[in-house]
Amino acid sequence: MLYIVPTPVGNMEDMTFRAIRVLKEASVILAEDTRTSGNLLKHFEIKNAMLSHHKFNEHQTVEGLVKRIEAGETVALISDAGTPGISDPGFLLARECVRAGIEVQTLPGATAFVPALVSSGLPCDKFCFEGFLPQKKGRQTAIKSLEEETRTMVFYESPYRLLKTLTQFAEVFGAERQASVSREISKVHEETVHGSLAELVAHFTANEPRGEIVICVAGKEK
């Protein structure tokens, strides 16, 4: 079986009892960064073998991993933080396991965009998750394609590109469109700032953004 196991995005207390048990019972743990995950496993006294599994090697290793599971091994996949497959490696291995008839179980657990969305104060009964925008080619096209979107939109962003992104959003969606910026979810300096896109641009011009960022933008009014 393949287990996909969420890990904390900040506070270690967000790790579930089931996640710890599954990782302790797995034949091997696939980790996006073995150094980062090594600290997590050490904290919870998990001593199982780890293999590196990330976007630069997953296409080369996926066939061998599927064969190992077919041979009887239980594999657990984790990323540096959050739920694998959500803007992290995981989709390719899950797809190939499903194609091979292997059972895939994903544990419920930590992910950054859900608490950011609920804390935004924007409608969350319907939303679209866009993840990271293209850094260069296709970026403006991607934003423009969402101009008529009526659902709340959720994005991940680097603090180094936050101001650029908010400015581009204001140009396409309108400066008065309501939005929120959440950073450092589940960490000591967790913060959510609400306001119009223009107000958020002003705020983060005066206050340098730091940490992992989730942006929620209201959809276009019908």
Side-chain angles (χ1 to χ4, degrees):
M1 183 185 295
L2 171 66
Y3 283 104
I4 298 178
V5 183
T7 54
V9 297
N11 195 317
M12 285 287 194
E13 293 178 358
D14 293 338
M15 191 75 167
T16 68
F17 293 123
R18 185 183 175 204
I20 295 170
R21 177 183 60 79
V22 166
L23 293 179
K24 285 184 175 181
E25 294 176 355
S27 308
V28 64
I29 298 169
L30 306 180
E32 187 178 4
D33 186 324
T34 54
R35 293 166 299 180
T36 300
S37 296
N39 294 328
L40 175 81
L41 299 187
K42 183 178 180 180
H43 181 84
F44 291 107
E45 300 180 348
I46 299 168
K47 300 177 181 179
N48 302 44
M50 270 194 299
L51 287 178
S52 181
H53 183 81
H54 47 72
K55 64 181 180 180
F56 301 109
N57 73 356
E58 60 180 347
H59 285 86
Q60 289 75 41
T61 60
V62 65
E63 183 178 350
L65 291 169
V66 169
K67 288 180 178 178
R68 289 182 66 163
I69 300 171
E70 288 178 325
E73 292 191 36
T74 295
V75 172
L77 172 67
I78 59 177
S79 63
D80 289 349
T83 301
I86 304 297
S87 295
D88 278 326
F91 160 70
L92 180 64
L93 181 58
R95 183 188 69 185
E96 294 307 307
C97 283
V98 168
R99 287 178 174 177
I102 294 169
E103 184 176 358
V104 178
Q105 282 195 12
T106 301
L107 278 61
T111 189
F113 80 83
V114 173
L117 173 62
V118 176
S119 297
S120 71
L122 300 173
C124 52
D125 55 333
K126 294 181 180 179
F127 63 92
C128 61
F129 175 71
E130 295 295 322
F132 287 99
L133 290 164
Q135 291 187 25
K136 294 180 181 178
K137 186 177 180 181
R139 182 182 182 86
Q140 195 64 30
T141 302
I143 297 172
K144 191 73 175 175
S145 70
L146 296 167
E147 191 171 6
E148 300 300 318
E149 178 59 64
T150 58
R151 297 170 295 179
T152 299
M153 298 168 280
V154 184
F155 304 86
Y156 284 164
E157 192 51 280
S158 156
Y160 308 109
R161 289 188 296 273
L162 177 62
L163 269 175
K164 174 183 177 181
T165 300
L166 291 174
T167 301
Q168 290 176 319
F169 284 171
E171 291 170 353
V172 174
F173 304 141
E176 296 307 310
R177 183 76 68 91
Q178 293 298 299
S180 72
V181 173
S182 296
R183 65 182 194 88
E184 297 290 77
I185 295 287
S186 194
K187 298 179 183 177
V188 174
H189 301 291
E190 179 174 347
E191 175 188 45
T192 297
V193 183
H194 307 84
S196 67
L197 288 169
E199 289 169 338
L200 292 175
V201 168
H203 175 84
F204 287 105
T205 298
N207 301 274
E208 181 183 359
R210 295 181 180 180
E212 301 297 320
I213 303 287
V214 184
I215 308 170
C216 297
V217 182
K220 183 176 182 179
E221 290 187 9
K222 296 181 180 179

